Amino acid sequence: MIVNLSLVSHTNAGKTTLARTLLRRDIGEVRDEAHVTEAAEAHTLLTAPEGEQLVLWDTPGFGDSVRLLKRLRQSSSPIGWMLTQLWDRFADRPFWSSQQAVHHVQQESDVVLYVANANEDPRVAAYVDAELQILDWIGKPAIVLLNQLGPPRAAELEQAEAAAWQGRLAGRGSVREVLAFDAFARCWVQEDALLAAIEPLVPAAKRSAFGRLRTAWRTRNLEIFEQSMRLLA
């Protein structure tokens, strides 16, 4: 059984960097510019001893979120959707790629991980409302991950950032949780908190499999820790 997690966000919010942190290996390209990731890419995070797999999808950024939302809404009109797809595919490849990725997430993902820039106030960032509507359009349970946290800060500051996002998300049924998760720093405590938040959102038929994957994740981390301690001894 496969559990699919999808990373989505505004362009250049750190999705690929977060994927590298979770995967513990380099994947994709990381550059300080928009639309670096051009297609949805699947990566196996973990395979449990029983054979279950946890798969992470890195997707193209939303880019022009307002226009993307409009295109997604047109998908309910087959003729209009077909015409815009033909045009976008050749005239605006990054925008076309974003549409394809969002459709893939809607069809395949079990849980969506929306990566947000913690340094931006969600109450004034112009793209946020459209992207929250995109998450609602996808219709899968989502977790907001506050990325780009910078140097360690007082707990009350992180709590205030999370509270700002939670207030902005009031009434949004798709988003179930807001977590601080620094893409640039590997932290097993953060990883375990993320898996704990994901577990109740996984479809009931896959929840037992996810529980075994979470156990395998902890076992692997413990083995890595013990190996590190032996090297230091």
Side-chain angles (χ1 to χ4, degrees):
M1 183 171 290
I2 298 175
V3 178
N4 289 295
L5 309 177
S6 295
L7 288 170
V8 302
S9 79
H10 197 63
T11 53
N12 203 29
K15 294 187 310 301
T16 299
T17 300
L18 177 56
R20 288 181 170 191
T21 297
L22 292 172
L23 289 162
R24 295 176 169 82
R25 64 180 185 272
D26 288 347
I27 55 99
E29 291 187 70
V30 175
R31 299 197 305 270
D32 187 18
E33 59 184 84
H35 303 299
V36 175
T37 302
E38 296 183 347
E41 302 171 350
H43 306 279
T44 301
L45 274 169
L46 185 70
T47 300
E50 296 83 354
E52 296 91 351
Q53 288 187 317
L54 185 60
V55 174
L56 183 69
W57 287 87
D58 186 17
T59 67
F62 288 153
D64 187 344
S65 306
V66 174
R67 187 160 64 110
L68 177 59
L69 179 62
K70 182 179 179 180
R71 284 287 194 273
L72 295 173
R73 286 173 171 168
Q74 286 177 340
S75 64
S76 60
S77 171
I79 294 177
W81 174 248
M82 184 182 302
L83 292 174
T84 56
Q85 283 288 284
L86 289 172
W87 174 258
D88 292 336
R89 182 169 186 172
F90 297 102
D92 193 340
R93 186 75 178 186
F95 184 58
W96 180 82
S97 296
S98 295
Q99 295 174 68
Q100 300 305 304
V102 171
H103 271 279
H104 172 83
V105 171
Q106 185 190 48
Q107 295 169 8
E108 302 294 338
S109 184
D110 293 307
V111 178
V112 177
L113 306 178
Y114 176 76
V115 184
N117 188 337
N119 295 317
E120 291 188 323
D121 188 334
R123 294 163 293 191
V124 298
Y127 63 85
V128 169
D129 185 65
E131 294 186 1
L132 293 179
Q133 291 183 62
I134 291 171
L135 293 180
D136 289 341
W137 185 91
I138 290 171
K140 299 297 179 71
I143 297 173
V144 172
L145 300 180
L146 298 182
N147 184 30
Q148 299 180 354
L149 301 176
R153 290 167 296 172
E156 57 267 22
L157 293 179
E158 291 189 3
Q159 292 168 0
E161 288 173 345
W165 274 93
Q166 287 165 345
R168 188 67 179 79
L169 296 167
R172 296 286 179 184
S174 297
V175 177
R176 310 296 177 81
E177 183 109 28
V178 179
L179 295 176
F181 201 104
D182 190 347
F184 296 92
R186 181 171 300 149
C187 175
W188 294 345
V189 174
Q190 285 188 341
E191 290 177 0
D192 195 59
L194 175 59
L195 294 180
I198 291 171
E199 188 163 9
L201 305 183
V202 172
K206 295 185 177 184
R207 208 161 292 157
S208 295
F210 186 83
R212 290 188 288 274
L213 285 161
R214 189 179 174 195
T215 298
W217 188 281
R218 286 175 170 174
T219 300
R220 184 180 69 175
N221 283 345
L222 182 59
E223 290 173 350
I224 293 172
F225 175 75
E226 291 176 345
Q227 182 180 8
S228 300
M229 294 304 293
R230 286 195 294 271
L231 292 174
L232 292 174

